Amino acid sequence: MTISNVSIGAKDFVLAVEGLTVSFDGFKAVNDLSFYVDENEIRVIIGPNGAGKTTVLDLICGRTKATTGSIKFRGKELTKMKEHQIVHAGVGRKFQNPSIYEDLSVFENLEISYPRGRNVWGALTFKRDREVIEKVEEIAEMIFLKDLLGKEAGLLSHGQKQWLEIGMLLIQNPDLLMLDEPVAGMSVAERKQTAELLHRITKNRSVIVIEHDMQFVEDIADRVTVLHQGKVLSEGSMERVKTDPKVVEVYLGH
Ligand code: ADP
Ligand code: MG
């Protein structure tokens, strides 16, 4: 069986998805799905179009309600929570198309994403501003945009826009970050940089990435989950998964 199954009960997972099913008018886009994500892990979900990958992320972030099953994030049952509560619990999600404020600068995009809920004390305004600026600069460096803080976001390259959106999530310091096809449309050089970025940010969080680019998957994945018809077809290291006859068959048949 898979590595995850061996260690069930032996330790706490950041994310434990069990028996998850969602039915759209009788069609089970996700069908009795179980998988487990570790602390500091980069998990990549692959699978043919329509396999249910995006729907899994929709279920975890509360955008779609599960028909049955459980999603536990640090012990909290997410299926019973609203979208904003899930964000507040520490789950960040990036959609396929970057949603940034094109008219604002890189700095402003990061600044407005900084969580302000905890800073309600007027007297600390100055300190808060310093804190925000430092955080924005730290994140900008991480996402390769340190020298472009003043640039209008709409003028960035497609890849830079993707990084900016990742930065807007990072500044909220999520424990689990989910990215849907983050390198689609990126150049080879940008893909390499994105792989480096993902390795950097998993020092203190877990990441789930949906991706088609197999070179990129090899560069980043700790473990790979192959989805097919809403179920796990195969799971393990990239090495193991890509030689699994079931996976080979599904991809060749596609
Ligand atoms: P993937 O991301 O793996 O390509 P999706 O998760 O987007 O696949 O979709 C899985 C299947 O579920 C597809 O057949 C899709 O048409 C269907 N589906 C997804 N969302 C909905 C929805 N809200 N209503 C009905 N069907 C949906
Ligand atoms: Mg998808």
Side-chain angles (χ1 to χ4, degrees), residues 235-252:
E235 192 173 76
S237 66
M238 183 62 174
E239 205 54 43
R240 180 183 176 281
V241 151
K242 77 179 177 192
T243 54
D244 183 336
K246 293 195 300 276
V247 176
V248 174
E249 194 190 316
V250 161
Y251 273 91
L252 289 180

Side-chain angles (χ1 to χ4, degrees), residues 53-54 96 180-181 210:
K53 304 180 297 296
T54 298
Q96 262 171 272
D180 200 345
E181 303 191 21
I210 293 175

Side-chain angles (χ1 to χ4, degrees), residues 124-251:
L124 293 179
T125 300
F126 178 73
K127 181 175 175 287
R128 179 181 71 198
D129 288 350
R130 217 29 270 161
E131 201 179 287
V132 174
I133 292 167
E134 277 167 17
K135 194 70 197 167
V136 166
E137 286 174 349
E138 179 196 322
I139 297 290
E141 175 137 43
M142 212 180 258
I143 59 173
F144 318 109
L145 297 177
K146 182 90 191 256
D147 298 332
L148 299 174
L149 277 169
K151 188 160 177 155
E152 203 177 299
L155 301 176
L156 296 174
S157 74
H158 171 74
Q160 289 170 332
K161 286 180 185 174
Q162 299 277 16
W163 293 336
L164 177 56
E165 200 189 356
I166 293 173
M168 291 163 73
L169 290 165
L170 283 177
I171 206 162
Q172 299 170 44
N173 201 23
D175 287 335
L176 174 64
L177 184 60
M178 305 194 290
L179 308 170
D180 200 345
E181 303 191 21
V183 299
M186 280 191 185
S187 68
V188 173
E190 286 173 332
R191 284 166 195 240
K192 282 271 170 225
Q193 274 182 283
T194 306
E196 185 190 320
L197 167 62
L198 292 190
H199 282 300
R200 267 191 234 164
I201 65 173
T202 44
K203 297 238 154 59
N204 40 23
R205 63 175 54 85
S206 307
V207 180
I208 299 178
V209 185
I210 293 175
E211 201 37 75
H212 288 295
D213 176 340
M214 289 305 156
Q215 182 56 53
F216 182 72
V217 176
E218 289 219 62
D219 286 349
I220 62 163
D222 292 313
R223 267 180 286 169
V224 177
T225 297
V226 187
L227 269 197
H228 180 50
Q229 297 174 346
K231 287 175 174 296
V232 175
L233 181 71
S234 184
E235 192 173 76
S237 66
M238 183 62 174
E239 205 54 43
R240 180 183 176 281
V241 151
K242 77 179 177 192
T243 54
D244 183 336
K246 293 195 300 276
V247 176
V248 174
E249 194 190 316
V250 161
Y251 273 91

Side-chain angles (χ1 to χ4, degrees), residues 76-87:
K76 284 191 187 126
E77 182 57 56
L78 298 189
T79 54
K80 299 193 164 51
M81 289 163 62
K82 297 212 160 61
E83 233 176 320
H84 71 272
Q85 295 173 314
I86 293 172
V87 169

